[in-house]
Amino acid sequence: MALTPTVSPASVAVDPVVTDRADTHLQLFSTEAYNRRNLDAAQDYVAIDHHDGGRLVGTFAGVVEDDLFSSGFSAPFGGPDLVRSRETPGNVQALVDRTLAVLAARGLRRIRVKARPQSYSANETYVLHALLHRGLTVVGSELSYGIDVSGHRSPEEYRASLKSPARRALKHADAEPYDYAETETAAEFAAAYEIIRANRRAKGNPLRLSLEYLLRLQADLGDRIRFFVLTHAGTPVAAALLYRLRPDIELVEYWGDHHSLDRSPMNRLAAEVCGRAITEGVRLVDLGISSVHGEPNEGLIQFKQSIGATAELRLDLEGTL
């Protein structure tokens, strides 16, 4: 069934580019810099804006290939970005309607949206409501886990909020010679990458992103892409690749350990990631999905819950224009 926006395609300009748009409201996966890094010659980046009385309400960004608009292209998720943290349902719907109309006017016939978890903003429920009531249907879902650290004034408060097994694990780790630091050179970045690669190889999961790609991405996006290493007596034992999606949201793109220690360093790594996020003013640490094609990873879920994470749905939607 074709989608039914309230805005007629004939009433909108075919070219969606708006020159007065500032990209500061866009989360990382919606930015042109991120998407251009992943495009080939047959694909193009498109960002569609909606204004209300001259005020920029938000932007719906994605990639066009043939007759398909994909938001969340080569990324965990996409979806519209609103300027205000709390927008009206009507304005969210108007942004969706304008997007559908512009895409239809350009001759596109299909739309695919990887929706982000609802904890990302108070607008996400309105986004899903608008997409579903314009005819998009859910074609996939995964379990996503995140930690709301906004209620903790310090890393110590976060640690104190954990249940006793996690606190005991951290108490043991505190007696060990751990150190946690951001990589500063390409060689340190590569060493952190090798830890993640070894961890995933041991679990039978190939590392999707190459070292060369990540180094280029960091060169393009600066400190929005960061690698951190946890060392034990100077030896790297765990690492975390973090994407700063917005000033207040950190995504753990990858993390893992590779070592010969008696105890896993992952509780210490998680505490370091969350502690630094708190000191940097982050409110949400997204730990990513814990299911594959809908099948839950029980061990991973148990670990994430033990460090304070809660579950949400990450939905994939598709529709025909």
Side-chain angles (χ1 to χ4, degrees), residues 195-207 254-259 264 266 292 297 299-300 303-304:
I195 292 173
I196 301 295
R197 191 160 72 101
N199 173 273
R200 294 182 66 83
R201 184 172 58 238
K203 297 177 180 178
N205 299 321
L207 189 53
Y254 288 118
W255 66 0
D257 57 343
H258 185 67
H259 58 88
S264 170
M266 287 302 296
V292 179
N297 183 326
L300 187 56
F303 171 71
K304 290 180 178 179

Side-chain angles (χ1 to χ4, degrees), residues 31-225:
T31 63
E32 184 168 5
Y34 176 86
N35 282 277
R36 290 289 180 198
R37 172 54 63 188
N38 299 294
L39 299 184
D40 62 30
Q43 300 161 336
D44 194 22
Y45 171 78
V46 171
I48 301 168
D49 296 335
H50 173 65
H51 291 77
D52 177 30
R55 175 179 71 86
L56 177 61
V57 172
T59 305
F60 209 149
V63 170
V64 171
E65 182 176 17
D66 298 327
D67 67 346
L68 171 67
F69 173 82
S70 179
S71 184
F73 173 82
S74 192
F77 49 78
D81 293 281
L82 286 301
V83 174
R84 293 179 176 176
S85 60
R86 293 181 179 273
E87 189 51 84
T88 67
N91 274 333
V92 173
Q93 187 166 286
L95 171 58
V96 170
D97 282 341
R98 172 164 173 78
T99 299
L100 297 178
V102 168
L103 296 177
R106 288 172 60 100
L108 275 66
R109 293 293 175 261
R110 296 178 295 146
I111 180 172
R112 179 180 301 147
V113 180
K114 296 179 184 178
R116 68 197 70 171
Q118 293 192 28
S119 60
Y120 269 54
S121 80
N123 298 315
E124 304 309 326
T125 297
Y126 299 151
V127 168
L128 283 174
H129 180 266
L131 292 173
L132 291 170
H133 280 270
R134 288 298 178 263
L136 277 79
T137 58
V138 176
V139 297
S141 65
E142 301 294 352
L143 291 171
S144 181
Y145 282 78
I147 305 175
D148 183 347
V149 297
S150 62
H152 303 302
R153 293 171 295 179
S154 68
E156 292 73 26
E157 279 196 2
Y158 162 71
R159 290 170 61 128
S161 73
L162 300 175
K163 293 182 179 179
S164 57
R167 294 200 309 273
R168 283 197 302 271
L170 288 177
K171 185 176 180 180
H172 286 297
D174 288 342
E176 298 291 329
Y178 282 117
D179 190 37
Y180 180 75
E182 182 177 359
T183 62
E184 296 182 352
T185 67
E188 291 173 345
F189 195 100
Y193 178 89
E194 285 303 316
I195 292 173
I196 301 295
R197 191 160 72 101
N199 173 273
R200 294 182 66 83
R201 184 172 58 238
K203 297 177 180 178
N205 299 321
L207 189 53
R208 177 174 52 88
L209 304 178
S210 71
L211 174 61
E212 292 72 22
Y213 170 84
L214 289 173
L215 285 169
R216 291 195 303 268
L217 193 65
Q218 187 186 52
D220 290 344
L221 299 171
D223 61 6
R224 297 187 76 169
I225 309 295

